[in-house]
Amino acid sequence: MLFLWLYMFYSCAGSCAGLAARGSPAPPRAAPPGEPGEESSPEEQRAAPDAASPISSFFNGSGTKRLPQAIIIGVKKGGTRALLEFLRVHPDVRAVGAEPHFFDRNYERGLAWYRDLMPRTLEGQITMEKTPSYFVTKEAPARISSMSKGTKLIVVVRDPVTRAISDYTQTLSKKPDIPTFESLTFKNRTTGLIDTSWSAIQIGIYAKHLENWLLYFPIGQILFVSGERLISDPAGELGRVQDFLGLKRIITDKHFYFNKTKGFPCLKKAEGSSKPHCLGKTKGRTHPDIDQEVVQRLRDFYRPFNMKFYQMTGQDFGWD
């Protein structure tokens, strides 16, 4: 019986592969990140998704590579990695692990290259990616809209003052000799003029960035996730995200436990694993002590932008 099954499998694999080869052209090869790729014509960029051979489908899983229907576009140090890892528990979500940076750094490589980075999905599954720098990239909204006006966008936001300190903490871990947070915050500390050219400050002016996105997408097509609630009530925020994506609410309280050492929730079981999973050691770093006068100056600076952001989104994130 086993011999008969193997004979039928390999016979089918060979004939089906031959039919596939005769019936459709091979998809264009996308250059890996970091390598120069050949220029793609518009026709190649709109080419049909890659077709897997029967043998590779059997061993690697069937499915089709598709452009993402949903993208986590921001913000840096807001909780985007946590959200992506939590979402990947859902059986109907397939996501790229690394950040593609297609719409800000690799756009010239073309949509065929971008699609080739995506995981294979079955009918009914959602393809996703996350690149937090998209939210502050001026060209990103038009580029994503050009790919698909129906793309669902998710923005994870966090108290902009805490976010700025977290951003600085990450940089400090890589470059211990950088100036102090206080000195980088001000153009002139005597006058209290905030240096909005510093990216750690500039990213947190959420209302300004959102205005650019609303030129291309309706507000109802963008979901704003609270980075604070993602820590205090992960299941509640994931419920909103699943509803927004049109998914069944499968990720619930039973999937999480709170890690007191790290100070944030972890998964009881990660995607494709039976073991508990917490985000890596680069997450949950201890923030340096910042002069409280500087913190207050920043809160005063961000307050009007926060109020405008609340009005634009219809959500009060409670940062003041």
Side-chain angles (χ1 to χ4, degrees):
M1 189 70 183
L2 177 61
F3 174 82
L4 178 61
W5 183 89
L6 288 171
Y7 174 80
M8 291 175 65
F9 172 74
Y10 282 109
S11 297
C12 176
S15 60
C16 292
L19 287 171
R22 291 191 296 272
S24 61
R29 179 185 178 275
E35 292 184 10
E38 295 181 2
E39 292 186 7
S40 300
S41 67
E43 290 73 24
E44 286 176 327
Q45 292 179 2
R46 293 193 297 269
D50 301 319
S53 71
I55 295 179
S56 64
S57 295
F58 180 80
F59 289 107
N60 300 324
S62 59
T64 304
K65 290 191 175 186
R66 298 181 175 91
L67 292 168
Q69 298 102 315
I71 304 175
I72 301 173
I73 59 173
V75 299
K76 180 184 179 185
K77 307 308 296 179
T80 59
R81 172 54 59 184
L83 178 60
L84 186 71
E85 292 300 312
F86 295 163
L87 273 174
R88 290 173 78 175
V89 172
H90 200 292
D92 290 334
V93 171
R94 299 282 285 124
V96 183
E99 296 172 4
H101 283 282
F102 175 66
F103 295 104
D104 57 354
R105 300 179 191 171
N106 294 301
Y107 194 63
E108 74 285 351
R109 294 181 181 273
L111 287 174
W113 177 88
Y114 183 48
R115 187 189 61 223
D116 198 55
L117 299 178
M118 299 299 133
R120 295 185 181 277
T121 54
L122 301 173
E123 193 66 34
Q125 291 183 318
I126 291 177
T127 303
M128 291 188 67
E129 70 115 318
K130 77 107 177 169
T131 304
S133 52
Y134 290 162
F135 189 62
V136 298
T137 299
K138 188 175 181 180
E139 300 81 9
R143 290 172 173 177
I144 294 176
S145 177
S146 178
M147 176 187 74
S148 172
K149 295 183 184 300
T151 306
K152 293 185 177 183
L153 308 172
I154 301 174
V155 188
V156 187
V157 289
R158 181 183 184 187
D159 180 333
V161 178
T162 308
R163 197 220 66 81
I165 296 171
S166 181
D167 198 335
Y168 173 80
T169 303
Q170 182 182 54
T171 305
L172 185 66
S173 70
K174 300 174 183 177
K175 302 177 181 178
D177 57 343
I178 61 170
T180 64
F181 180 88
E182 291 83 351
S183 64
L184 290 169
T185 296
F186 299 101
K187 283 186 176 179
N188 186 320
R189 188 164 183 179
T190 304
T191 61
L193 185 63
I194 304 294
D195 187 355
T196 56
S197 66
W198 184 29
S199 64
I201 300 296
Q202 199 257 352
I203 289 171
I205 310 175
Y206 303 138
K208 175 185 174 183
H209 304 302
L210 180 56
E211 286 177 344
N212 189 32
W213 287 89
L214 294 181
L215 296 175
Y216 298 90
F217 293 93
I219 193 72
Q221 210 166 307
I222 309 173
L223 180 69
F224 301 92
V225 174
S226 165
E228 286 83 12
R229 288 197 292 272
L230 198 56
I231 293 173
S232 64
D233 181 20
E237 285 300 278
L238 264 293
R240 294 179 60 241
V241 176
Q242 290 170 96
D243 290 347
F244 175 71
L245 294 175
L247 298 170
K248 183 179 179 181
R249 283 200 178 195
I250 288 178
I251 307 170
T252 62
D253 282 323
K254 68 182 181 181
H255 288 90
F256 302 98
Y257 73 94
F258 191 81
N259 186 304
K260 293 181 180 179
T261 303
K262 284 186 171 289
F264 52 74
C266 301
L267 289 167
K268 290 181 179 177
K269 292 182 181 179
E271 179 198 27
S273 173
S274 60
K275 298 180 180 179
H277 172 68
C278 280
L279 297 179
K281 61 182 180 181
T282 61
K283 306 298 180 182
R285 294 187 183 95
T286 301
H287 291 178
D289 291 328
I290 306 297
D291 187 326
Q292 286 306 300
E293 180 188 351
V294 174
V295 172
Q296 189 56 51
R297 291 266 189 107
L298 275 177
R299 295 210 174 280
D300 295 340
F301 166 77
Y302 278 121
R303 187 169 294 110
F305 296 109
N306 291 344
M307 293 300 108
K308 185 176 181 181
F309 186 65
Y310 296 172
Q311 291 174 349
M312 295 171 78
T313 61
Q315 291 179 242
D316 185 339
F317 290 90
W319 295 326
D320 295 284

